[in-house]
């Protein structure tokens, strides 16, 4: 059973009839952290809406990840939603970053809703705006920021997503997510640690000046 407050917050503008449709058709899944939800080339059978946790959306190139965005609670996946207008084939990978709860709506049902409840397009356009901003920020980071700043921003982003501080991140994991090598990440982390930006221990990585990091 889906929490009524979640439906009200996300779909309330569509009216009571739509809320009943969600309760009738939605499938609620609990998914463990680091679980692959969809991979490139697979057919999308469902449109997901995240209730709890976080999901990383990315592509792979020569074994290296290129992160597009993170799905947070109350968000959907734009790339999945957009695929139902074409061939239903996923162009991305999606993996849970932490234990998550996801509402899955069959794509056949979403097609019916687009006709029956045309205002549902507001959700699509809202997701488009958010994801376009995410991708633009990603491009700006890659083009205009030095690697040390990108690594520091990535650590802060993970703290914000998980609420964990210090946060446990391996050098290999950071390298994969930022499209570089583990050796380079290790050197940069040592450099910014010597500069007093972070500290590293068995408990994880801690930001020395967390004023711009929420949940800390």
């Amino acid at each position: 059973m889906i929490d009524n407050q979640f439906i009200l917050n996300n779909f309330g503008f569509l009216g009571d009839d739509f809320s009943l449709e969600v309760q009738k058709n939605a499938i609620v899944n609990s998914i463990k952290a680091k679980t692959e939800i969809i991979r490139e080339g697979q057919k999308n059978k469902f449109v997901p809406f995240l209730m709890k946790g976080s999901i990383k959306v990315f592509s792979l190139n020569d074994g290296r990840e290129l992160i597009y965005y993170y799905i947070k609670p109350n968000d959907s996946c734009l790339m999945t939603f957009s695929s139902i207008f074409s061939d239903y084939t996923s162009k991305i990978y999606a993996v849970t970053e932490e234990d998550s709860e996801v509402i899955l709506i069959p794509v056949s049902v979403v097609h019916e809703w687009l006709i029956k409840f045309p205002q549902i397009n507001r959700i699509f356009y809202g997701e488009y705006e958010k994801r376009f901003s995410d991708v633009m920020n990603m491009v700006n980071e890659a083009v205009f920021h030095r690697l040390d700043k990108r690594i520091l921003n990535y650590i802060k982003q993970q703290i914000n997503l998980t609420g964990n501080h210090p946060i446990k991140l391996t050098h290999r994991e950071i390298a994969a997510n930022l499209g570089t090598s583990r050796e380079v990440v290790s050197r940069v982390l040592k450099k910014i640690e010597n500069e007093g930006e972070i500290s590293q221990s068995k408990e994880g990585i801690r930001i020395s000046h967390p004023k711009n990091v929420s949940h800390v």
Side-chain angles (χ1 to χ4, degrees), residues 23-120:
Q23 290 284 13
K24 175 184 173 183
N25 293 285
I27 302 167
V28 180
N29 268 8
S30 295
I31 306 174
K32 292 292 185 182
K34 307 303 179 184
T35 300
E36 183 179 86
I37 299 174
I38 190 74
R39 62 173 36 237
E40 184 179 356
Q42 280 186 338
K43 291 292 185 180
N44 287 315
K45 298 180 180 179
F46 301 95
V47 174
F49 292 88
L50 187 63
M51 287 197 298
K52 177 185 176 183
S54 63
I55 298 172
K56 177 173 64 176
V57 177
F58 61 97
S59 63
L60 282 176
N61 187 3
D62 292 331
R64 292 184 176 180
E65 295 179 4
L66 177 62
I67 300 173
Y68 293 133
Y69 52 83
Y70 289 89
I71 304 173
K72 301 176 184 178
N74 300 315
D75 287 347
S76 183
C77 179
L78 174 69
M79 299 294 286
T80 301
F81 198 56
S82 63
S83 75
I84 72 172
F85 299 104
S86 52
D87 60 359
Y88 302 94
T89 301
S90 175
K91 297 177 177 62
I92 50 86
Y93 293 81
V95 174
T96 53
E97 284 286 276
E98 53 188 325
D99 292 349
S100 302
E101 289 186 9
V102 181
I103 293 176
L104 301 175
I105 309 293
V107 292
S108 58
V109 172
V110 175
H111 273 297
E112 293 175 4
W113 286 353
L114 288 167
I115 297 170
K116 191 175 180 180
F117 305 95
Q119 281 189 305
I120 197 175

Side-chain angles (χ1 to χ4, degrees), residues 139-177:
V139 171
N140 286 334
E141 283 271 327
V143 173
F144 297 112
H145 290 171
R146 297 184 322 184
L147 185 58
D148 55 354
K149 174 145 187 172
R150 290 176 60 203
I151 290 175
L152 193 58
N153 285 344
Y154 175 77
I155 294 168
K156 290 177 180 178
Q157 180 185 53
Q158 295 305 303
I159 293 171
N160 283 332
L161 280 170
T162 65
N164 297 328
H165 191 237
I167 186 165
K168 288 193 173 182
L169 294 168
T170 67
H171 294 189
R172 189 176 301 279
E173 180 182 356
I174 296 172
N177 285 327

